């Protein structure tokens, strides 16, 4: 349901030095790819080396270096996914709930500075939805994009309509605002379980739901 700022970790390019120096202080992918047979020092037994195994070892070392580079190049994507999961599973800062006559609990973590949510129009929101025990059951952050929904016409549960659009003592949300909602069963899915598929239901009956709402903006595709 503000666009999430995901910091993408950038990896410094990995450089490989191919050297046969004996005085290198840091590990490097080193090999001698010469086909000539090195001369042993005097007073040491002469050993016969074939150039082919050395060449194979060199190719192997290069392959290991390329594999390490490819794994390192993948790390920004992994960091991105980690941050999406992070934003989906941790809550906004705590705030003290106020309660409307309907039973809806609400409080503003950040009061926005934009326009109000217009009734009947499409809006973009980021959200994280939890049960009363704090377990996350849905989140737009896991999908890495805000949810576009029509507000004020009963297209979503009553608690979201009232919590975003306002009414009955609840102030309307403004673009850029973040609000926490505690939605009682009568403003959520009531006495029936919801989110059911093949007999399994994601939301039990009479569930109180907690929503962290981030009002990203008005959907640009609304008819003028």
């Amino acid at each position: 349901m503000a666009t999430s700022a995901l910091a993408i970790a950038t990896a410094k390019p990995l450089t490989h030095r191919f050297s046969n120096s004996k005085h290198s202080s840091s590990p490097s992918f080193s090999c001698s790819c010469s086909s000539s047979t090195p001369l042993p020092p005097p007073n040491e037994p002469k050993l016969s080396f074939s150039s082919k195994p050395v060449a194979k070892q060199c190719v192997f070392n290069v392959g290991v270096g390329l594999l390490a580079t490819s794994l390192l190049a993948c790390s920004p994507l992994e960091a991105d996914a980690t941050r999406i999961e992070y934003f989906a599973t941790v809550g906004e800062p705590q705030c003290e709930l106020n309660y409307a006559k309907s039973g809806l609990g609400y409080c503003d973590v950040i009061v926005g500075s934009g326009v109000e949510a217009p009734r009947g129009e499409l809006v973009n929101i980021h959200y994280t939805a939890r049960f009363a025990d704090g377990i996350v059951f849905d989140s737009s952050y896991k999908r890495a994009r805000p949810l576009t929904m029509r507000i004020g016409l009963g297209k979503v549960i009553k608690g979201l309509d009232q919590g975003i659009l306002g009414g009955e003592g609840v102030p309307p949300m403004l673009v850029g605002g973040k609000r926490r909602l505690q939605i009682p069963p009568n403003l959520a899915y009531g006495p029936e379980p919801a989110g059911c598929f093949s007999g399994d239901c994601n939301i039990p009956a009479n569930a109180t739901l907690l929503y962290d709402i981030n009002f990203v903006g008005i959907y640009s595709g609304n008819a003028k």
Side-chain angles (χ1 to χ4, degrees), residues 62-117:
V62 173
V64 171
L66 293 176
L67 177 60
T69 305
S70 64
L71 291 176
L72 197 58
C74 293
S75 59
L77 296 180
E78 294 171 358
D80 187 10
T82 299
R83 282 163 175 78
I84 292 171
E85 182 72 15
Y86 172 81
F87 280 105
T89 54
V90 297
E92 297 290 351
Q94 297 295 319
C95 57
E96 185 176 352
L97 292 172
N98 303 297
Y99 292 90
K101 291 182 179 180
S102 63
L104 177 70
Y106 66 94
C107 61
D108 288 314
V109 177
I110 296 176
V111 177
S113 57
V115 299
E116 298 180 6

Side-chain angles (χ1 to χ4, degrees), residues 17-191:
R17 292 194 314 136
F18 293 90
S19 171
N20 59 0
S21 172
K22 297 182 180 178
H23 303 286
S24 176
S25 59
S26 59
S28 61
F29 298 102
S30 303
C31 66
S32 175
C33 299
S34 172
S35 61
S36 60
T37 303
L39 294 176
N43 302 324
E44 288 191 13
K46 295 183 180 180
L47 302 178
S48 175
F49 294 96
S50 173
S51 61
K52 291 183 180 180
V54 174
K56 289 181 180 179
Q57 182 64 33
C58 177
V59 172
F60 174 77
N61 287 344
V62 173
V64 171
L66 293 176
L67 177 60
T69 305
S70 64
L71 291 176
L72 197 58
C74 293
S75 59
L77 296 180
E78 294 171 358
D80 187 10
T82 299
R83 282 163 175 78
I84 292 171
E85 182 72 15
Y86 172 81
F87 280 105
T89 54
V90 297
E92 297 290 351
Q94 297 295 319
C95 57
E96 185 176 352
L97 292 172
N98 303 297
Y99 292 90
K101 291 182 179 180
S102 63
L104 177 70
Y106 66 94
C107 61
D108 288 314
V109 177
I110 296 176
V111 177
S113 57
V115 299
E116 298 180 6
R119 180 181 296 273
E121 297 293 330
L122 293 169
V123 297
N124 292 329
I125 62 171
H126 263 308
Y127 69 94
T128 298
R130 297 176 173 81
F131 296 119
D133 60 4
I135 295 176
V136 175
F137 67 87
D138 193 17
S139 175
S140 62
Y141 292 107
K142 289 185 178 181
R143 296 184 287 276
R145 63 180 182 274
L147 172 69
T148 300
M149 67 181 195
R150 197 172 299 278
I151 198 73
L153 296 181
K155 302 296 184 181
V156 294
I157 58 176
K158 293 178 181 179
L160 288 179
D161 265 345
Q162 184 181 6
I164 297 173
L165 190 64
E168 299 183 24
V170 180
M173 285 194 73
L174 305 179
V175 171
K178 292 184 177 183
R179 176 173 289 179
R180 170 161 291 180
L181 300 175
Q182 179 178 290
I183 304 177
N186 63 301
L187 298 179
Y189 296 99

